[in-house]
Amino acid sequence: MTYTIEKVATLIGARRYGEHETTVGWLLTDSRSLCFPEQTLFFALRSKRNDGHKFIDELYRRGVRSFVVEQEPADYQTAYPDANFLKVPSPLAALQRLAERHRDEFDIPVVGITGSNGKTWVKEWLHQILMPTMKVTRSPKSYNSQIGVPLSVWLLNEQTQVALFEAGISEPGEMLALHDIIQPTIGVLTSLGSAHQENFRNMDEKCMEKLQLFRDTEVIIYPSDDDTVSRCVRRSQYQGERIGWSRYSEKAPMYVKTEGRKVSYIYKGVEGSYEIPFIDEASIENSITCAIVALYLGMSPEDLAERMAKLEPIAMRLEVKDGQRGLTLINDSYNSDVNSLDIALDFMNRRPDQEGKCKTLILSDIYQSGETPSELYREVSDLLRKRGIDRFVGIGPEIMAQAAQFTVGQKWFFANVDEFLQSSVFRNMHDEIVLLKGARPFGFEHISELLEQKVHETILEVDLNAVVENLNHYRSFMKPETKIVCMIKADAYGAGAVEIAKTLQDHRVDYLAVAVADEGVTLRKAGITQNIIVMNPEMSSFKTLFDYDLEPEVYSFRLMDALIQAARKEGITGWPVHLKLDTGMHRLGFDPRHDIDQLIDRLKHQTAIIPRSVFSHFVGSDSDDFDNFSAHQFELFNEGSKKIQAAFSHKILRHMDNSAGIEHFPERQMDMCRLGIGLYGVDPRTNGILSTVSTLKTTILQLRHVPKEETVGYSRKGKLERDSVIAAIPIGYADGLNRKLGNRHCYCLVNGQKAEYVGNICMDVALIDVTDIPCQEGDSVEIFGKNLPVTVLSDVLETIPYEVLTSVSNRVKRVYYQD
Ligand SMILES: *Cc1c(COP(=O)(O)O)cnc(C)c1O
């Protein structure tokens, strides 16, 4: 659906500058996602850290002609002669208003989904369940914020028969705004976890806030065994129908009994049952929520059971993998619709490593679009052109019939995957970035299996979204103007410095910090342009610093003199350095009581280097026990660093807080903070887990029955007390699995259950006890990560999580995920 610019101006109550007549089909808030410039309306949003107005010039040059702004450019008539500027007090509010008016046009069931966990999951599964018979519009990915929700609602179109929208909040008061935009008719509350708790006084307050989404719905669906939820639903004076589901109360509108993968239920007196292809608790609970919505919408228990049995794992994220022959593979073969295609293409274009590589899309027939094939593939072809696809492979009879519609540089069509795999097109693929996007029945996994590099069975999975979530968690303690240094020393605490740096660069952190110059060089070679601090510059590495634009920490006069010498030799002046003061760690640094005058004097009498920042490091910001000492450290630093600043006319950034400090001493954040362990998911103050970044996984190589009294492994250490089933897994101390975890001191997870390490851990293999766990060879094993916090291991080892994370050796392949 499109609106004229005139209509949009009226709907959002804007004053219009410029008279270019055009229509609006696409809304844009992030300039990097631009696709159809002529029909795009850009909202210049102002956030704490960014101002959309800065991108107007660039977007205009790229063809955008319509802008919603707080302030029209002064010279708009001459600089942007054929553009429209719609002036409003708040572009964000205007975006929300426009979506709201668009929503008003539709009289269809709209499912509003909220809850702390499982929103995206429930939405995607509901989509799978409803899709065969209804045209569904849903939030892309997990677009559930104040910006994401309006962009989702905007996708409603004439074909939509039912809509599924997520709503997420992090602060009190946000839900009402989302309610007005979504105007749900069916309310779904998935579960109430403890995420985003910090902004709410207690669970009840958070729950009541979430229920705001449902105030005018005809029905709400919720887990009534959760006391908080039940209490809040009662207190909310909600007037519509309530469908709580329960495992205990037979009187509940949805009474369920579960056993393994099977769910039996009595829904409003009607009995039914289904099985899903997953066994974990979260899957079961999410399926129950989906079942109620489907039954409520009138689906028969038989149809429901049939579709439940076919549920597919949801692709919450696009997988990126190294392929053979220099290929990079992006696998997105779970969804197949134009929207998710656009998202995947955007993702492909944003990958920093794509430069110079040819871009290839392999696409199957798209099902259930509601459009005629010729309309649909014209749209797809348009998209490919705008997103810069160089090579295109279409697979399937329908897409083949539309071959003439495609205008990309090189194109090939095949009736099925087999024909493609036999072709020279397949055999000749090399050094390309390849997006695989195929509807399930086409079996695109055969393509990816053949193209993927065979990886070591033991991998460290790194969730890049979690890194961003953790970054934002810490940013929420910081003033908007406070700068941030992200510590990616020690290969980003084991997670892999290059990919982490790319992600952080994309999220505009101010500095990256590495331990040694070589780590900085690796980043530069990978295309990282961000400022980089080297914490421990070796005397032998100065030339490298200059060549690769790396800024050293300076902690002693000896180092400083050598650096000045080296800079002079190269004819360098004004090289930025970061001065470290020793306020109590007694590791490295200038003494703030005795060295400051000399330091200033030395700096003033040369021009080779220039202090960019001055900092110190807390000894124990993670524990209240050291609060007095921390205060003493801060005082010493404050005094010394102010004296240095006073001696120079340029701004010198002062910083002291590390992860724990940001949270514990936000008042000491000064100009900049240094974020380390928290970024990687461990809260250093509570040892709790934020969003898990790294998951170390392996697979079962072999299972064997070993009788009672036998022993397992070297030195006959693992004596068995009963007849046992023992699994061998390909991970040992050479991979970073500490030997002290062996002999039942710790466990890993097999199908969600604890499996102890038996006997001594070997160099490359470990043995685990799976006697009571249903499993088979090839099953996945989690060493630590999403379901087994790394702190469980570090506690057993009597060490800190930092050590466990950084011990995962280089031979363990890192695999990255991202939405
Ligand atoms: C590693 C490091 C940090 C980060 O510490 P975390 O506890 O991981 O947040 C901050 N500052 C300096 C100087 C560091 O070496």
Side-chain angles (χ1 to χ4, degrees), residues 6 51 103-104 171 209 325 334 361 423 454 462 493 504 529 607 642 656 676-677 688 808:
E6 186 68 50
D51 181 359
R103 166 69 183 88
D104 290 342
E171 285 174 28
E209 172 74 21
R325 301 177 253 150
Y334 293 117
L361 168 67
S423 72
K454 294 292 163 264
V462 180
Y493 292 50
L504 295 170
T529 54
T607 52
K642 278 189 171 154
M656 190 138 182
I677 189 81
V808 178

Side-chain angles (χ1 to χ4, degrees), residues 711-760:
T711 63
V712 171
Y714 281 116
S715 312
R716 307 214 65 189
K717 276 286 208 181
K719 180 145 188 218
L720 299 176
E721 312 270 312
R722 57 172 180 168
D723 292 348
S724 304
V725 185
I726 302 298
I729 54 177
I731 182 170
Y733 56 81
D735 298 287
L737 185 69
N738 197 305
R739 254 182 110 249
K740 297 200 180 92
L741 298 170
N743 296 309
R744 300 194 187 269
H745 286 114
C746 198
Y747 57 87
C748 54
L749 293 182
V750 176
N751 293 325
Q753 298 190 46
K754 294 177 185 177
E756 286 178 337
Y757 296 105
V758 280
N760 284 328

Side-chain angles (χ1 to χ4, degrees), residues 25-68:
W26 301 73
L27 308 185
L28 183 72
T29 59
D30 180 338
S31 61
R32 292 169 299 182
S33 300
L34 178 64
C35 187
F36 294 98
E38 313 82 57
Q39 285 209 22
T40 290
L41 176 62
F42 177 70
F43 288 78
L45 303 182
R46 254 193 244 280
S47 69
K48 285 186 197 161
R49 282 167 208 285
N50 225 321
D51 181 359
H53 293 78
K54 284 195 299 210
F55 299 97
I56 292 175
D57 203 58
E58 175 201 331
L59 288 168
Y60 185 84
R61 274 186 278 112
R62 291 166 66 191
V64 178
R65 290 295 174 265
S66 306
F67 302 88
V68 177

Side-chain angles (χ1 to χ4, degrees), residues 519-532:
E519 290 183 329
V521 173
T522 306
L523 294 181
R524 287 284 183 250
K525 286 189 172 158
I528 300 296
T529 54
Q530 214 71 352
N531 299 319
I532 297 177

